[in-house]
Amino acid sequence: MCGIVGYIGSRKASPILLKGLHRLEYRGYDSAGMCLLNGKIEMFKTHGKVSDLENEIQGESLEGTIGIAHTRWATHGEPNDANAHPHFSQTKKLAIIHNGIIENYSTLKEELQNRGYEFKSDTDTEVLIHLIEDIQINEKVDLVEAIRITLNQVFGAYAIVVLSEDHPDMLIAAKKGSPLVIGIGENEFFIASDAAPIVEYTKNVVYLNDEEVATVNRKGNLRIKTIKNQEKTPYVQKLELQLSAIEKGGYPHFMLKEIYEQPRSIKDSMRGRLNSSKGIVSLGGIIEYEQKFINARRIIIVACGTSWHAGLVAEYMFEELARIPVEVEYASEFRYRDPVIYEDDIVIAISQSGETADTLAAVELAKSKGATIIGICNVVGSSIARATHAGSYTHAGPEIGVASTKAFTAQVTLLALMALSIADKKGAISKSHFYQLLNEMESLPGKVEQTLNINDSIIKLSKIFYQAKNFLYLGRGYNFPLALEGALKLKEISYIHAEGYPAAEMKHGPIALIDKEMPVVVIATRKGSYDKVLSNIEEVKARKGIIIAVVSEGDQVVKKLADYVIEIPETDKIFVPIVASIPLQLLSYHIAVLRGCNVDQPRNLAKSVTVE
């Protein structure tokens, strides 16, 4: 969840580190800090955002061409100055930054305290740096070996970078369960949690694998060993990421930019995979596993948050089109029970970042049971992409806003392609219906573009409801997962309590909440259980609830019942979650802005949940 940046080379380190922190702030923004080595290690840190750190260091000289920096999402210890990273060792000759959770930190801490070590923070991270120094001194080994020995004694997840006063020409990095990438320049190296801080300086990167320790120095040398002391050859990859993709591009927030990028991101998700005129759907990443899909006993989808909602939409798609039974599981629950998994099961793991800790653990569990694992990720080279047997990238481009928008529609698009491909090859769908759906898919970017034109009317609607205390979202069939997603978007960035329900379940409890103060958002498009949804709207109106209806363009029936209507272009019921998600995203965005919320960095949240 935290953001890590490191630099060693000939340039002044502080501007690189601070810019890198800004680009990683979506990963955590409870506190921020930086260490620079200029003869001695100088440390600067504070609770709050990166801008608070910049205010804190005004007037400091900030010299040095080697340093580490960190922006934190708190796990152990509240967000304050003491718990902010980096952390010193006892002698202050070593400093560390860390992303992850050390599960046995309390036992290690007690042992170190018994040996006279004093702790300045409540973090698990400080235990690591004290233990590294303790091993280095008492076992009389070099720093790299001390780190390797230490990492064999800890349980949990980590991505770390260590800076040493005695080694001014070297940085040491290691990872397990948390992402870490090394950018390779001309006699310089950049280390970060992801490529965003690196892409401005180099396209050549190495993604560290679990339990690898990397040493970089000013001579341009990169050496990798495992914590079991096995030498590894670095695998250098080229970044496809463009710098413009991680800038706001004139938008006030990344979230709004990413909402408006969806016509392109949906098109990119289909590019090279769909040809409606020839009746072809081809997902190169899973071609050799298509027969396994056709013969699968069932499909299990594991995901968290918005990706879980995309998985729910996929459940309807695979069962209706391909006639394969589907179970959708929260990865965080799946990994901690004893699920029944068969060797002829297909497990689809969905994660925007490809680093979601619970989803990654669910993948490993399913692999151990012999299932075939298919990954759907947005980030090339991510941990889940490497851990699965096969899969496909969404190609949505970087998503910086913490509230997921274009990742959701790209995931649903890709899952639709997958379901259609398997349905066709299995013979579970008629050719006429197959061609019809392919043609409709190709029209989706244009229909999303058209839907974005309602932005001004959504602003007016937001001004009416931004002070509401609660919202209810209702949908049936394919639109039920969309109701969940709409409610999640609203509560995570505006802090308004919101719940999503299947419309028919309203009368089994939630109807008790409805009164003249309760806005109820109903996805009431013509395709699907339209007449049933009309009945649900009548039930809300009978209790004086306020209806905000998302309807198919030209609908007159719902317009007579609803207090407010949002029209979207007509599309097939299986694609409504893609098109109808746009007004729900815009509604949550504009309400949050009106409430003065930090849209891109909502409180207590981070983009990539790389810890449990």
Side-chain angles (χ1 to χ4, degrees), residues 520-546:
V520 181
V521 179
V522 184
I523 300 102
T525 49
R526 267 193 288 260
K527 301 292 175 67
S529 306
Y530 183 68
D531 291 338
K532 299 294 184 183
V533 174
L534 288 177
S535 298
N536 298 135
I537 292 174
E538 294 277 17
E539 290 166 353
V540 173
K541 292 301 293 180
R543 276 82 183 173
K544 303 190 184 305
I546 305 166

Side-chain angles (χ1 to χ4, degrees), residues 108 111-112 115 117 130-153:
L108 295 170
E111 292 175 2
L112 288 164
R115 295 207 290 274
Y117 283 85
H130 284 319
L131 185 57
I132 289 167
E133 187 169 75
D134 182 77
I135 289 171
Q136 184 184 14
I137 293 170
N138 292 313
E139 298 195 19
K140 295 181 173 55
V141 295
D142 65 32
L143 179 57
V144 178
E145 181 67 4
I147 292 172
R148 189 187 70 78
I149 293 170
T150 297
L151 296 179
N152 276 289
Q153 295 183 21

Side-chain angles (χ1 to χ4, degrees), residues 55-221:
N55 291 334
E56 189 80 12
I57 60 179
Q58 284 289 333
E60 300 284 352
S61 62
L62 304 179
E63 296 302 318
T65 56
I66 178 172
I68 56 177
H70 188 273
T71 179
R72 182 174 186 245
W73 186 84
T75 54
H76 291 72
E78 66 181 74
N80 58 28
D81 290 0
N83 290 330
H85 294 214
H87 290 285
F88 271 132
S89 65
Q90 192 89 328
T91 64
K92 295 191 175 181
K93 289 195 169 188
L94 300 177
I96 191 171
I97 51 177
H98 169 222
N99 175 26
I101 292 178
I102 304 303
E103 295 173 3
N104 62 331
Y105 87 101
S106 58
T107 303
L108 295 170
K109 184 174 184 177
E110 187 176 346
E111 292 175 2
L112 288 164
Q113 285 174 323
N114 291 338
R115 295 207 290 274
Y117 283 85
E118 295 180 2
F119 289 81
K120 308 294 185 185
S121 76
D122 301 316
T123 68
D124 55 336
T125 303
E126 197 181 2
V127 173
L128 268 180
I129 197 63
H130 284 319
L131 185 57
I132 289 167
E133 187 169 75
D134 182 77
I135 289 171
Q136 184 184 14
I137 293 170
N138 292 313
E139 298 195 19
K140 295 181 173 55
V141 295
D142 65 32
L143 179 57
V144 178
E145 181 67 4
I147 292 172
R148 189 187 70 78
I149 293 170
T150 297
L151 296 179
N152 276 289
Q153 295 183 21
V154 302
F155 304 112
Y158 55 80
I160 62 170
V161 185
V162 177
L163 177 67
S164 170
E165 185 178 301
D166 293 333
H167 298 85
D169 298 321
M170 180 174 72
L171 283 176
I172 303 165
K175 72 145 286 191
K176 179 183 178 183
S178 292
L180 209 57
V181 58
I182 300 173
I184 304 170
E186 189 70 35
N187 290 332
E188 63 179 353
F189 292 94
F190 309 82
I191 303 172
S193 296
D194 64 40
I198 293 174
V199 64
E200 182 175 347
Y201 308 103
T202 180
K203 294 284 190 178
N204 298 320
V205 298
V206 171
Y207 292 93
L208 284 189
N209 293 310
D210 278 355
E211 299 190 339
E212 288 185 344
V213 181
T215 307
V216 295
N217 64 31
R218 294 184 191 275
K219 295 180 180 178
N221 297 321

Side-chain angles (χ1 to χ4, degrees), residues 327-476:
E327 296 177 16
V328 184
E329 300 265 6
Y330 281 116
S332 54
E333 288 296 314
F334 183 79
R335 64 177 294 194
Y336 282 117
R337 58 186 182 82
D338 189 14
V340 178
I341 303 172
Y342 302 102
E343 290 187 358
D344 53 355
D345 284 339
I346 296 279
V347 175
I348 300 177
I350 311 173
S351 167
Q352 187 280 140
S353 66
E355 302 292 349
T356 310
D358 288 318
T359 307
L360 187 57
V363 164
E364 297 299 344
L365 173 61
K367 277 175 75 175
S368 72
K369 304 284 188 180
T372 299
I373 318 296
I374 305 297
I376 293 181
C377 302
N378 189 32
V379 180
V380 176
S382 56
S383 296
I384 289 173
R386 296 198 301 267
T388 51
H389 293 112
S392 297
Y393 290 113
T394 56
H395 299 308
E399 189 178 63
I400 307 299
V402 167
S404 190
T405 52
K406 65 177 181 175
F408 173 74
T409 51
Q411 287 168 351
V412 174
T413 300
L414 186 53
L415 288 159
L417 288 172
M418 197 175 286
L420 282 165
S421 177
I422 301 305
D424 179 52
K425 292 174 174 63
K426 190 178 178 182
I429 185 174
S430 69
K431 282 296 181 183
S432 60
H433 191 202
F434 179 65
Y435 273 86
Q436 175 195 339
L437 292 176
L438 296 193
N439 281 317
E440 184 59 25
M441 279 204 82
E442 287 197 330
S443 74
L444 288 176
K447 291 184 176 181
V448 169
E449 187 85 57
Q450 181 184 337
T451 305
L452 287 166
N453 292 330
I454 66 172
N455 185 54
D456 288 346
S457 62
I458 297 293
I459 293 173
K460 292 176 183 176
L461 195 60
S462 301
K463 289 176 179 177
I464 299 170
F465 292 106
Y466 78 97
Q467 291 181 314
K469 303 295 185 187
N470 301 282
F471 265 76
L472 194 62
Y473 287 71
L474 301 176
R476 279 179 178 258

